[in-house]
Amino acid sequence: MNIENTQSQMRKGILEFCILSIIRRGEAYPSDIVEEMKAASLQILEGTLYPLLTRLKNAGMLTYRWVESSSGPPRKYFSLTEKGEAFYKELDQTWQELSNGVNALTAKAESNS
C-alpha cells in the first residue's frame, strides 16, 4: 500500500471544509487562503484551489467581488452565501462526529498498546 496516496485522500476529504472555514470568517483572496492553509501545515496549490473555488461558486456556496489592486490586476475576493453558510454548518457537524469517533477509536488503540 502507498502511504502517500492514503494521506492525499485523507487531506482531500477535509480540504473543502477547511477552505470554507477560512472564507466564513470574512472575504478571502485565494493567495491568502493558500498562505493560511500553509501556516496550518495543510499544503494546497493555487492550481488545486481555483477549480475548487469555481465549483463552490457554481454550486451557489460562494460569491465574489472584484477589488482594484494598486499592484496589478483586480483581485477576486470570495465570501459565503446563505446556502454556503448552511452547507458549512452541515460539514462542521459531520466533522465533529468524525473527529469524536476517530479520537475515541485511536485513544482506545493507544491505551491497548
Side-chain angles (χ1 to χ4, degrees), residues 36-84:
E36 193 161 345
M37 295 285 287
K38 283 182 184 176
S41 299
L42 295 169
Q43 303 299 320
I44 184 172
L45 301 173
E46 287 192 11
T48 302
L49 178 62
Y50 280 100
L52 181 54
L53 291 172
T54 298
R55 187 170 57 75
L56 289 167
K57 179 190 71 69
N58 291 343
M61 306 297 171
L62 299 177
T63 188
Y64 66 86
R65 70 181 181 101
W66 291 101
V67 176
E68 290 297 323
S69 171
S70 59
S71 61
R75 295 179 168 198
K76 192 185 283 190
Y77 283 83
F78 289 87
S79 57
L80 254 60
T81 61
E82 282 186 33
K83 184 177 179 181

Short mmCIF file of all heavy atoms in Angstrom, two decimals, residues 36-84:
data_model
loop_
_atom_site.label_atom_id
_atom_site.label_comp_id
_atom_site.label_asym_id
_atom_site.label_seq_id
_atom_site.Cartn_x
_atom_site.Cartn_y
_atom_site.Cartn_z
N GLU A 36 -2.79 30.80 4.49
CA GLU A 36 -3.35 30.36 5.77
C GLU A 36 -3.34 28.84 5.88
O GLU A 36 -3.07 28.30 6.95
CB GLU A 36 -4.78 30.90 5.93
CG GLU A 36 -5.26 30.75 7.34
CD GLU A 36 -6.44 31.63 7.70
OE1 GLU A 36 -6.75 32.59 6.98
OE2 GLU A 36 -7.05 31.32 8.73
N MET A 37 -3.61 28.16 4.79
CA MET A 37 -3.55 26.70 4.79
C MET A 37 -2.11 26.25 5.07
O MET A 37 -1.90 25.34 5.88
CB MET A 37 -4.03 26.14 3.45
CG MET A 37 -5.49 26.40 3.14
SD MET A 37 -6.64 25.38 4.05
CE MET A 37 -6.39 23.81 3.23
N LYS A 38 -1.14 26.88 4.43
CA LYS A 38 0.27 26.52 4.66
C LYS A 38 0.67 26.76 6.12
O LYS A 38 1.37 25.95 6.71
CB LYS A 38 1.19 27.33 3.73
CG LYS A 38 1.20 26.83 2.32
CD LYS A 38 2.16 27.63 1.46
CE LYS A 38 2.09 27.17 0.01
NZ LYS A 38 2.93 27.97 -0.86
N ALA A 39 0.19 27.87 6.69
CA ALA A 39 0.52 28.19 8.08
C ALA A 39 -0.04 27.12 9.03
O ALA A 39 0.51 26.90 10.11
CB ALA A 39 -0.03 29.56 8.45
N ALA A 40 -1.11 26.45 8.61
CA ALA A 40 -1.70 25.38 9.41
C ALA A 40 -1.14 24.01 9.02
O ALA A 40 -1.69 22.97 9.41
CB ALA A 40 -3.22 25.40 9.24
N SER A 41 -0.06 24.00 8.24
CA SER A 41 0.58 22.77 7.76
C SER A 41 -0.33 21.94 6.87
O SER A 41 -0.24 20.71 6.84
CB SER A 41 1.09 21.93 8.93
OG SER A 41 2.06 22.65 9.66
N LEU A 42 -1.22 22.61 6.15
CA LEU A 42 -2.10 21.96 5.18
C LEU A 42 -1.77 22.54 3.81
O LEU A 42 -2.25 23.61 3.45
CB LEU A 42 -3.58 22.20 5.52
CG LEU A 42 -4.06 21.59 6.82
CD1 LEU A 42 -5.44 22.12 7.19
CD2 LEU A 42 -4.09 20.07 6.72
N GLN A 43 -0.92 21.86 3.09
CA GLN A 43 -0.44 22.37 1.81
C GLN A 43 -1.52 22.29 0.74
O GLN A 43 -2.21 21.29 0.62
CB GLN A 43 0.78 21.56 1.34
CG GLN A 43 1.93 21.55 2.33
CD GLN A 43 2.49 22.93 2.62
OE1 GLN A 43 2.62 23.75 1.73
NE2 GLN A 43 2.81 23.18 3.87
N ILE A 44 -1.65 23.39 -0.02
CA ILE A 44 -2.57 23.42 -1.16
C ILE A 44 -1.94 24.31 -2.22
O ILE A 44 -1.34 25.34 -1.89
CB ILE A 44 -3.98 23.91 -0.77
CG1 ILE A 44 -4.92 23.84 -1.98
CG2 ILE A 44 -3.94 25.31 -0.19
CD1 ILE A 44 -6.36 24.11 -1.66
N LEU A 45 -2.06 23.92 -3.46
CA LEU A 45 -1.55 24.72 -4.56
C LEU A 45 -2.69 25.53 -5.15
O LEU A 45 -3.85 25.12 -5.12
CB LEU A 45 -0.96 23.81 -5.64
CG LEU A 45 0.18 22.90 -5.20
CD1 LEU A 45 0.54 21.93 -6.33
CD2 LEU A 45 1.39 23.73 -4.80
N GLU A 46 -2.35 26.70 -5.71
CA GLU A 46 -3.38 27.53 -6.33
C GLU A 46 -4.07 26.77 -7.46
O GLU A 46 -5.25 26.95 -7.70
CB GLU A 46 -2.80 28.86 -6.81
CG GLU A 46 -2.50 29.79 -5.66
CD GLU A 46 -2.18 31.21 -6.07
OE1 GLU A 46 -2.38 31.57 -7.24
OE2 GLU A 46 -1.73 31.96 -5.19
N GLY A 47 -3.33 25.89 -8.13
CA GLY A 47 -3.90 25.08 -9.20
C GLY A 47 -4.96 24.10 -8.70
O GLY A 47 -5.80 23.63 -9.47
N THR A 48 -4.93 23.78 -7.43
CA THR A 48 -5.96 22.95 -6.80
C THR A 48 -7.08 23.82 -6.26
O THR A 48 -8.26 23.48 -6.35
CB THR A 48 -5.35 22.14 -5.63
OG1 THR A 48 -4.28 21.34 -6.13
CG2 THR A 48 -6.38 21.26 -4.95
N LEU A 49 -6.72 24.98 -5.72
CA LEU A 49 -7.68 25.86 -5.07
C LEU A 49 -8.67 26.48 -6.05
O LEU A 49 -9.88 26.48 -5.81
CB LEU A 49 -6.95 26.95 -4.29
CG LEU A 49 -7.84 27.98 -3.59
CD1 LEU A 49 -8.73 27.32 -2.55
CD2 LEU A 49 -6.98 29.07 -2.96
N TYR A 50 -8.18 27.03 -7.15
CA TYR A 50 -9.05 27.75 -8.08
C TYR A 50 -10.20 26.90 -8.63
O TYR A 50 -11.35 27.35 -8.63
CB TYR A 50 -8.24 28.41 -9.20
CG TYR A 50 -7.61 29.71 -8.77
CD1 TYR A 50 -6.27 29.76 -8.41
CD2 TYR A 50 -8.35 30.87 -8.69
CE1 TYR A 50 -5.68 30.94 -7.99
CE2 TYR A 50 -7.78 32.06 -8.28
CZ TYR A 50 -6.44 32.10 -7.93
OH TYR A 50 -5.87 33.27 -7.51
N PRO A 51 -9.94 25.67 -9.08
CA PRO A 51 -11.07 24.85 -9.56
C PRO A 51 -12.08 24.55 -8.44
O PRO A 51 -13.28 24.51 -8.68
CB PRO A 51 -10.41 23.56 -10.05
CG PRO A 51 -9.00 23.94 -10.32
CD PRO A 51 -8.66 25.03 -9.36
N LEU A 52 -11.59 24.38 -7.21
CA LEU A 52 -12.48 24.12 -6.09
C LEU A 52 -13.34 25.35 -5.79
O LEU A 52 -14.56 25.24 -5.58
CB LEU A 52 -11.66 23.72 -4.86
CG LEU A 52 -12.44 23.39 -3.59
CD1 LEU A 52 -13.49 22.31 -3.85
CD2 LEU A 52 -11.48 22.93 -2.51
N LEU A 53 -12.73 26.54 -5.81
CA LEU A 53 -13.50 27.77 -5.59
C LEU A 53 -14.56 27.95 -6.68
O LEU A 53 -15.69 28.33 -6.40
CB LEU A 53 -12.56 28.98 -5.56
CG LEU A 53 -11.64 29.08 -4.34
CD1 LEU A 53 -10.64 30.21 -4.53
CD2 LEU A 53 -12.43 29.26 -3.06
N THR A 54 -14.19 27.66 -7.92
CA THR A 54 -15.13 27.78 -9.04
C THR A 54 -16.29 26.80 -8.86
O THR A 54 -17.46 27.16 -9.07
CB THR A 54 -14.41 27.53 -10.38
OG1 THR A 54 -13.40 28.53 -10.53
CG2 THR A 54 -15.37 27.59 -11.54
N ARG A 55 -15.99 25.58 -8.47
CA ARG A 55 -17.03 24.57 -8.25
C ARG A 55 -17.98 25.01 -7.14
O ARG A 55 -19.21 24.90 -7.26
CB ARG A 55 -16.41 23.22 -7.94
CG ARG A 55 -17.40 22.08 -7.88
CD ARG A 55 -16.74 20.73 -7.82
NE ARG A 55 -15.81 20.54 -6.72
CZ ARG A 55 -16.19 20.35 -5.46
NH1 ARG A 55 -17.46 20.32 -5.13
NH2 ARG A 55 -15.28 20.16 -4.51
N LEU A 56 -17.43 25.54 -6.04
CA LEU A 56 -18.25 26.00 -4.93
C LEU A 56 -19.09 27.22 -5.33
O LEU A 56 -20.25 27.34 -4.93
CB LEU A 56 -17.37 26.34 -3.72
CG LEU A 56 -16.74 25.14 -3.01
CD1 LEU A 56 -15.66 25.60 -2.05
CD2 LEU A 56 -17.81 24.34 -2.28
N LYS A 57 -18.52 28.10 -6.15
CA LYS A 57 -19.26 29.27 -6.64
C LYS A 57 -20.41 28.81 -7.54
O LYS A 57 -21.55 29.26 -7.40
CB LYS A 57 -18.34 30.21 -7.39
CG LYS A 57 -19.06 31.45 -7.94
CD LYS A 57 -18.18 32.25 -8.87
CE LYS A 57 -17.91 31.59 -10.19
NZ LYS A 57 -19.04 31.47 -11.10
N ASN A 58 -20.13 27.90 -8.45
CA ASN A 58 -21.15 27.39 -9.38
C ASN A 58 -22.27 26.65 -8.65
O ASN A 58 -23.39 26.60 -9.14
CB ASN A 58 -20.53 26.51 -10.45
CG ASN A 58 -19.66 27.30 -11.42
OD1 ASN A 58 -19.75 28.53 -11.50
ND2 ASN A 58 -18.81 26.60 -12.14
N ALA A 59 -21.95 26.09 -7.50
CA ALA A 59 -22.95 25.37 -6.69
C ALA A 59 -23.74 26.33 -5.80
O ALA A 59 -24.62 25.90 -5.05
CB ALA A 59 -22.27 24.30 -5.84
N GLY A 60 -23.42 27.62 -5.86
CA GLY A 60 -24.14 28.62 -5.07
C GLY A 60 -23.66 28.76 -3.64
O GLY A 60 -24.31 29.41 -2.83
N MET A 61 -22.51 28.16 -3.32
CA MET A 61 -21.97 28.23 -1.95
C MET A 61 -21.17 29.51 -1.71
O MET A 61 -21.07 29.97 -0.57
CB MET A 61 -21.06 27.03 -1.67
CG MET A 61 -21.67 25.69 -1.92
SD MET A 61 -23.07 25.40 -0.84
CE MET A 61 -23.71 23.91 -1.57
N LEU A 62 -20.58 30.03 -2.78
CA LEU A 62 -19.73 31.22 -2.67
C LEU A 62 -20.19 32.29 -3.65
O LEU A 62 -20.80 32.00 -4.67
CB LEU A 62 -18.27 30.88 -3.02
CG LEU A 62 -17.54 29.86 -2.18
CD1 LEU A 62 -16.14 29.64 -2.75
CD2 LEU A 62 -17.47 30.29 -0.73
N THR A 63 -19.85 33.51 -3.31
CA THR A 63 -19.98 34.62 -4.23
C THR A 63 -18.63 35.34 -4.20
O THR A 63 -17.77 35.03 -3.37
CB THR A 63 -21.14 35.55 -3.83
OG1 THR A 63 -21.34 36.50 -4.87
CG2 THR A 63 -20.89 36.25 -2.51
N TYR A 64 -18.45 36.28 -5.12
CA TYR A 64 -17.18 37.02 -5.11
C TYR A 64 -17.42 38.44 -5.59
O TYR A 64 -18.46 38.77 -6.15
CB TYR A 64 -16.14 36.33 -5.99
CG TYR A 64 -16.48 36.32 -7.46
CD1 TYR A 64 -16.13 37.39 -8.29
CD2 TYR A 64 -17.14 35.24 -8.03
CE1 TYR A 64 -16.45 37.38 -9.64
CE2 TYR A 64 -17.46 35.22 -9.37
CZ TYR A 64 -17.11 36.29 -10.17
OH TYR A 64 -17.43 36.29 -11.49
N ARG A 65 -16.44 39.27 -5.30
CA ARG A 65 -16.44 40.63 -5.83
C ARG A 65 -15.03 40.99 -6.24
O ARG A 65 -14.05 40.49 -5.67
CB ARG A 65 -17.00 41.63 -4.82
CG ARG A 65 -16.12 41.90 -3.62
CD ARG A 65 -16.78 42.88 -2.65
NE ARG A 65 -15.90 43.12 -1.53
CZ ARG A 65 -15.13 44.21 -1.39
NH1 ARG A 65 -15.18 45.16 -2.30
NH2 ARG A 65 -14.34 44.35 -0.35
N TRP A 66 -14.95 41.83 -7.26
CA TRP A 66 -13.65 42.29 -7.75
C TRP A 66 -13.23 43.52 -6.98
O TRP A 66 -14.04 44.41 -6.73
CB TRP A 66 -13.74 42.62 -9.23
CG TRP A 66 -13.92 41.43 -10.11
CD1 TRP A 66 -15.08 41.00 -10.68
CD2 TRP A 66 -12.91 40.51 -10.52
NE1 TRP A 66 -14.85 39.86 -11.42
CE2 TRP A 66 -13.53 39.54 -11.34
CE3 TRP A 66 -11.54 40.41 -10.28
CZ2 TRP A 66 -12.83 38.49 -11.92
CZ3 TRP A 66 -10.84 39.36 -10.85
CH2 TRP A 66 -11.47 38.42 -11.66
N VAL A 67 -11.95 43.58 -6.60
CA VAL A 67 -11.39 44.73 -5.91
C VAL A 67 -10.16 45.18 -6.68
O VAL A 67 -9.29 44.37 -6.99
CB VAL A 67 -11.01 44.37 -4.45
CG1 VAL A 67 -10.34 45.55 -3.75
CG2 VAL A 67 -12.23 43.89 -3.68
N GLU A 68 -10.12 46.47 -7.01
CA GLU A 68 -8.96 47.01 -7.71
C GLU A 68 -7.72 46.85 -6.85
O GLU A 68 -7.77 46.98 -5.63
CB GLU A 68 -9.18 48.49 -8.05
CG GLU A 68 -10.23 48.73 -9.11
CD GLU A 68 -9.87 48.11 -10.46
OE1 GLU A 68 -8.69 48.11 -10.84
OE2 GLU A 68 -10.81 47.61 -11.12
N SER A 69 -6.60 46.60 -7.50
CA SER A 69 -5.33 46.42 -6.80
C SER A 69 -4.34 47.46 -7.29
O SER A 69 -4.26 47.74 -8.48
CB SER A 69 -4.79 45.01 -7.07
OG SER A 69 -3.48 44.88 -6.58
N SER A 70 -3.58 48.02 -6.36
CA SER A 70 -2.57 49.01 -6.74
C SER A 70 -1.34 48.34 -7.34
O SER A 70 -0.51 49.00 -7.95
CB SER A 70 -2.18 49.85 -5.52
OG SER A 70 -1.68 49.01 -4.51
N SER A 71 -1.23 47.03 -7.15
CA SER A 71 -0.03 46.32 -7.61
C SER A 71 -0.32 45.29 -8.69
O SER A 71 0.32 44.25 -8.72
CB SER A 71 0.66 45.66 -6.41
OG SER A 71 -0.21 44.72 -5.83
N GLY A 72 -1.29 45.56 -9.55
CA GLY A 72 -1.56 44.61 -10.62
C GLY A 72 -3.03 44.56 -10.97
O GLY A 72 -3.76 45.52 -10.74
N PRO A 73 -3.46 43.41 -11.51
CA PRO A 73 -4.85 43.29 -11.94
C PRO A 73 -5.82 43.27 -10.75
O PRO A 73 -5.40 43.05 -9.61
CB PRO A 73 -4.88 41.95 -12.68
CG PRO A 73 -3.72 41.19 -12.14
CD PRO A 73 -2.68 42.21 -11.75
N PRO A 74 -7.11 43.47 -11.00
CA PRO A 74 -8.10 43.41 -9.91
C PRO A 74 -8.07 42.03 -9.25
O PRO A 74 -7.71 41.03 -9.87
CB PRO A 74 -9.44 43.63 -10.62
CG PRO A 74 -9.12 44.15 -11.96
CD PRO A 74 -7.73 43.74 -12.29
N ARG A 75 -8.43 42.01 -7.99
CA ARG A 75 -8.44 40.77 -7.21
C ARG A 75 -9.85 40.31 -6.95
O ARG A 75 -10.74 41.12 -6.68
CB ARG A 75 -7.72 40.99 -5.88
CG ARG A 75 -6.26 41.29 -6.04
CD ARG A 75 -5.63 41.51 -4.70
NE ARG A 75 -4.18 41.52 -4.83
CZ ARG A 75 -3.36 41.34 -3.83
NH1 ARG A 75 -3.82 41.16 -2.61
NH2 ARG A 75 -2.06 41.35 -4.03
N LYS A 76 -10.05 39.00 -6.97
CA LYS A 76 -11.35 38.40 -6.72
C LYS A 76 -11.38 37.93 -5.26
O LYS A 76 -10.60 37.07 -4.86
CB LYS A 76 -11.56 37.21 -7.67
CG LYS A 76 -12.97 36.68 -7.69
CD LYS A 76 -13.10 35.43 -8.55
CE LYS A 76 -13.11 35.73 -10.01
NZ LYS A 76 -13.47 34.52 -10.81
N TYR A 77 -12.29 38.53 -4.48
CA TYR A 77 -12.46 38.16 -3.08
C TYR A 77 -13.74 37.34 -2.92
O TYR A 77 -14.81 37.75 -3.38
CB TYR A 77 -12.52 39.40 -2.18
CG TYR A 77 -11.18 40.02 -1.95
CD1 TYR A 77 -10.61 40.88 -2.87
CD2 TYR A 77 -10.45 39.71 -0.80
CE1 TYR A 77 -9.36 41.44 -2.67
CE2 TYR A 77 -9.20 40.26 -0.59
CZ TYR A 77 -8.66 41.13 -1.52
OH TYR A 77 -7.42 41.67 -1.31
N PHE A 78 -13.61 36.18 -2.26
CA PHE A 78 -14.72 35.25 -2.10
C PHE A 78 -15.37 35.39 -0.73
O PHE A 78 -14.69 35.69 0.26
CB PHE A 78 -14.24 33.81 -2.27
CG PHE A 78 -13.89 33.47 -3.68
CD1 PHE A 78 -12.61 33.72 -4.18
CD2 PHE A 78 -14.83 32.92 -4.53
CE1 PHE A 78 -12.29 33.42 -5.49
CE2 PHE A 78 -14.52 32.62 -5.85
CZ PHE A 78 -13.24 32.87 -6.33
N SER A 79 -16.68 35.16 -0.68
CA SER A 79 -17.40 35.11 0.59
C SER A 79 -18.50 34.05 0.48
O SER A 79 -18.89 33.64 -0.61
CB SER A 79 -18.00 36.47 0.94
OG SER A 79 -18.84 36.92 -0.09
N LEU A 80 -18.98 33.60 1.64
CA LEU A 80 -20.02 32.58 1.70
C LEU A 80 -21.39 33.19 1.42
O LEU A 80 -21.67 34.30 1.85
CB LEU A 80 -20.06 31.95 3.10
CG LEU A 80 -19.51 30.54 3.25
CD1 LEU A 80 -18.06 30.48 2.85
CD2 LEU A 80 -19.68 30.04 4.65
N THR A 81 -22.21 32.45 0.72
CA THR A 81 -23.62 32.82 0.54
C THR A 81 -24.40 32.20 1.71
O THR A 81 -23.83 31.44 2.51
CB THR A 81 -24.17 32.26 -0.78
OG1 THR A 81 -24.07 30.82 -0.72
CG2 THR A 81 -23.40 32.79 -1.98
N GLU A 82 -25.69 32.48 1.78
CA GLU A 82 -26.52 31.83 2.81
C GLU A 82 -26.49 30.32 2.62
O GLU A 82 -26.40 29.56 3.59
CB GLU A 82 -27.96 32.33 2.73
CG GLU A 82 -28.16 33.69 3.35
CD GLU A 82 -29.63 34.09 3.38
OE1 GLU A 82 -30.51 33.21 3.54
OE2 GLU A 82 -29.89 35.30 3.24
N LYS A 83 -26.56 29.88 1.38
CA LYS A 83 -26.50 28.44 1.07
C LYS A 83 -25.15 27.87 1.51
O LYS A 83 -25.07 26.77 2.06
CB LYS A 83 -26.71 28.23 -0.43
CG LYS A 83 -26.77 26.79 -0.86
CD LYS A 83 -27.07 26.69 -2.36
CE LYS A 83 -27.11 25.25 -2.82
NZ LYS A 83 -27.37 25.15 -4.27
N GLY A 84 -24.08 28.63 1.29
CA GLY A 84 -22.75 28.21 1.70
C GLY A 84 -22.61 28.11 3.21
O GLY A 84 -21.96 27.21 3.74
#
